[in-house]
Amino acid sequence: MGRGDKKSKKGKIFLGSYGKVRPARPQQAKKAAAKKA
């Protein structure tokens, strides 16, 4: 587990990708956006 690992948060930051471990927009931001609408 490290920078080269696609499944870890550190690896996703290093590779610049998003997924389950590192969502593009955090869950709290989604809930706040839903409340405003």
Side-chain angles (χ1 to χ4, degrees):
M1 298 268 273
R3 286 200 309 181
D5 183 20
K6 272 187 192 176
K7 289 190 177 180
S8 69
K9 187 173 183 177
K10 193 176 266 187
K12 290 202 177 290
I13 292 165
F14 178 70
L15 294 161
S17 65
Y18 296 96
K20 192 161 179 75
V21 176
R22 181 177 174 245
R25 289 187 71 194
Q27 291 295 324
Q28 290 177 329
K30 284 181 185 175
K31 284 180 185 173
K35 249 187 192 177
K36 281 186 181 178

